[in-house]
Amino acid sequence: MLWKIDTQSSQPLHEQLAGQLRRGIATEALEEGEKLPAARELAKGLGVNVHTVLRAFQTLRDEGLLEVRRGRGTSVAADAKSATRHVELARRLVREARRSGMGDREILRLVEVQL
Amino acid sequence: MNEKMRRLALGAGIPLAVAGVGLGPYLAYRSELPDRVAVHYDSAGRPDGSMGTEVFLLVIGGVMAIGLIALLSIALTRRRFQPMVAPGVSSMGAFVATLFAGILALTAIEQRGLDRWQDATLSPVAVIAWIGGSILIAGLAAWIASSLPFKADTGTGAAPPSMTLAPGERVFWSSTLTARWPLPLSMVPLAVALAVARFVEPWVVLLLLVAAVALASFGRIRVTADRSGLQVRYGFLGWPRTSVPIHRIATAQAIDVRPVEWGGWGYRGSLAVMRRAAVVLRAGPGLRLDLHNGKVFAVTIDDPDEPARLLNAEVARLPTSGTPLA
């Protein structure tokens, strides 16, 4: 897949990378189970710090989209395609709830009620 | 050197030189050779097989002639071959011819003045020079043949696709391709190795295992493209690898790779010797790089349009854009 970042953008690089990963999974440019390039290699290719890449990988791992296995590298989670939809919906919920003036606790309760 | 000179060098220069090296000493020292010459040596270097002097000349000289005729016919043919054919056939012909010319020459030089073929010796230095020389001549023949005109293959001929990159934008592309057949095929040497392990010498088993591992791992490549150029990594270890630095690339384009046009499957050709090389794992989409010095590199990969656009964009924003460095 094609990775693209803008070093002159105001958006932090790790967020740009995380966005690229999410889009890649959503558009199936990255298939479920596919191995990602090594963080060091990706960092070198894009001319960024390796920690920036690792931070993006970490974010996506926390969202359940990536699987990090020791010694086997990072790969796209087996159910990443559906997970990416839920993550996107949750982000939208938080964004719109905040816009209508809700606090973090209210948003959490909003979700809890639905469980 | 114009085309006529190159054809002359390939079809007459190399054959005459090789035939001279092979036949010269043998014919000159014929009267000093024993009635039979040693033609085979055991692992300790003692001769254990012999042949009549005349028959030996006929057999070995005959094989040498076949190799030289292959060179001659490539040089004489006006028909345009597919790009890899002439260098491939020429290097094979030159290699076989030089190898057999070397046998004649070595036999004459080493066995001159002997009474009995059993006294023959073979110096390791001569053997190394013989095999090394054969490889060199094969490379030379391939190099000359690769400069002969071949069927035009400028790819699609369309304008090279590119992408728009803002000054601060950085791009990286990566993809893997696994061929279907090498992994199952690697089971064959593995099975043979296990089956015969008890009956043959250890080095035979080792050789078979190496073949199995090589087959299993080389069926997979990983290709990356970024501002430094193109990298192809072979096998599951990602080693060895081929790199094409960005400043050597003139244009990149997506092509349809037909293995017959690139000399078959595997790593075909050689950038140094044949002016073109291709990594072919299957028929179908591939990326073709035309280098500033006229050389061509191709690799089979899915969605080759993306790396083509990336590389063309990176070439365009090189500070020395358009000027050949290599």
Side-chain angles (χ1 to χ4, degrees):
Chain A
M1 101 153 203
L2 185 74
W3 303 73
K4 188 175 186 178
I5 54 161
D6 187 352
T7 53
Q8 291 177 356
S9 160
S10 58
Q11 192 186 20
L13 292 176
H14 68 90
E15 273 182 26
Q16 292 185 36
L17 280 170
Q20 293 263 304
L21 272 165
R22 284 190 205 99
R23 198 171 322 133
I25 292 166
T27 60
E28 290 180 13
L30 284 172
E31 285 165 30
E32 293 178 346
E34 187 176 328
K35 216 179 133 188
L36 294 185
R40 201 155 41 124
E41 190 192 349
L42 187 56
K44 196 172 159 235
L46 290 170
V48 301
N49 194 295
V50 69
H51 294 290
T52 310
V53 175
L54 286 173
R55 193 164 164 193
F57 281 9
Q58 188 62 39
T59 308
L60 272 280
R61 197 188 81 125
D62 294 345
E63 291 173 5
L65 300 180
L66 292 185
E67 278 170 15
V68 183
R69 291 215 191 101
R70 283 188 69 173
R72 286 197 54 198
T74 308
S75 54
V76 179
D79 56 350
K81 189 85 203 304
S82 53
T84 183
R85 229 176 79 79
H86 302 148
V87 170
E88 187 47 43
L89 285 171
R91 286 155 70 90
R92 246 172 68 193
L93 171 72
V94 170
R95 199 167 56 231
E96 287 183 19
R98 279 202 180 130
R99 201 177 294 154
S100 55
M102 290 172 82
D104 288 0
R105 217 170 258 181
E106 284 172 289
I107 298 174
L108 279 174
R109 206 166 52 231
L110 195 68
V111 176
E112 262 170 18
V113 169
Q114 299 297 325
L115 291 174
Chain B
M1 230 181 6
N2 63 23
E3 191 194 324
K4 202 172 169 186
M5 293 290 288
R6 291 193 297 259
R7 285 188 190 276
L8 206 63
L10 188 70
I14 292 179
L16 285 175
V18 170
V21 165
L23 297 177
Y26 202 86
L27 295 178
Y29 302 149
R30 200 151 123 205
S31 54
E32 298 173 47
L33 291 174
D35 292 343
R36 294 179 74 79
V37 287
V39 297
H40 195 266
Y41 299 81
D42 65 15
S43 54
R46 282 183 300 267
D48 62 357
S50 70
M51 209 184 255
T53 312
E54 311 294 322
V55 182
F56 184 66
L57 175 64
L58 231 63
V59 172
I60 304 297
V63 178
M64 180 186 80
I66 292 170
L68 295 181
I69 287 167
L71 278 186
L72 188 68
S73 37
I74 289 289
L76 287 179
T77 309
R78 290 282 155 185
R79 195 166 67 89
R80 296 188 168 203
F81 295 104
Q82 298 284 1
M84 297 267 199
V85 172
V89 174
S90 300
S91 65
M92 284 288 283
F95 184 71
V96 169
T98 317
L99 213 58
F100 280 75
I103 294 175
L104 281 180
L106 274 182
T107 303
I109 293 164
E110 302 259 341
Q111 299 184 36
R112 175 189 178 194
L114 291 181
D115 292 330
R116 303 176 329 130
W117 63 267
Q118 285 89 343
D119 299 333
T121 54
L122 202 56
S123 94
V125 177
V127 171
I128 290 168
W130 163 50
I131 293 173
S134 304
I135 293 170
L136 272 179
I137 298 294
L140 180 68
W143 185 71
I144 297 174
S146 72
S147 69
L148 296 177
F150 47 79
K151 275 191 181 156
D153 73 327
T154 46
T156 55
S162 190
M163 58 173 67
T164 321
L165 290 179
E169 279 182 332
R170 309 251 180 87
V171 277
F172 176 84
W173 176 88
S174 145
S175 180
T176 60
L177 181 66
T178 310
R180 235 172 284 146
W181 47 267
L183 194 60
L185 210 63
S186 69
M187 297 302 149
V188 177
L190 188 68
V192 173
L194 292 177
V196 302
R198 297 178 55 185
F199 314 108
V200 297
E201 290 184 50
W203 64 267
V204 176
V205 179
L206 193 71
L207 217 63
L208 284 165
L209 289 179
V210 168
V213 170
L215 255 178
S217 69
F218 282 73
R220 178 195 170 95
I221 54 168
R222 220 160 74 71
V223 184
T224 59
D226 58 30
R227 61 201 170 133
S228 71
L230 183 87
Q231 275 82 40
V232 182
R233 291 170 176 80
Y234 308 97
F236 292 91
L237 298 173
W239 186 91
R241 69 176 67 173
T242 301
S243 295
V244 184
I246 193 79
H247 66 257
R248 291 190 61 188
I249 300 172
T251 57
Q253 61 182 317
I255 58 163
D256 185 39
V257 175
R258 276 179 290 178
V260 276
E261 292 174 6
W262 296 90
W265 286 263
Y267 191 101
R268 315 308 305 175
S270 153
L271 276 187
V273 177
M274 297 199 194
R275 294 164 225 258
R276 60 171 53 213
V279 181
V280 181
L281 265 66
R282 52 143 176 75
L287 176 68
R288 171 188 165 127
L289 304 181
D290 285 82
L291 309 186
H292 283 301
N293 53 14
K295 296 181 179 181
V296 176
F297 181 75
V299 53
T300 53
I301 197 75
D302 295 332
D303 299 323
D305 199 51
E306 277 191 335
R309 292 191 303 128
L310 184 158
L311 290 170
N312 286 325
E314 290 292 4
V315 168
R317 71 175 177 184
L318 273 181
T320 53
S321 177
T323 37
L325 287 177

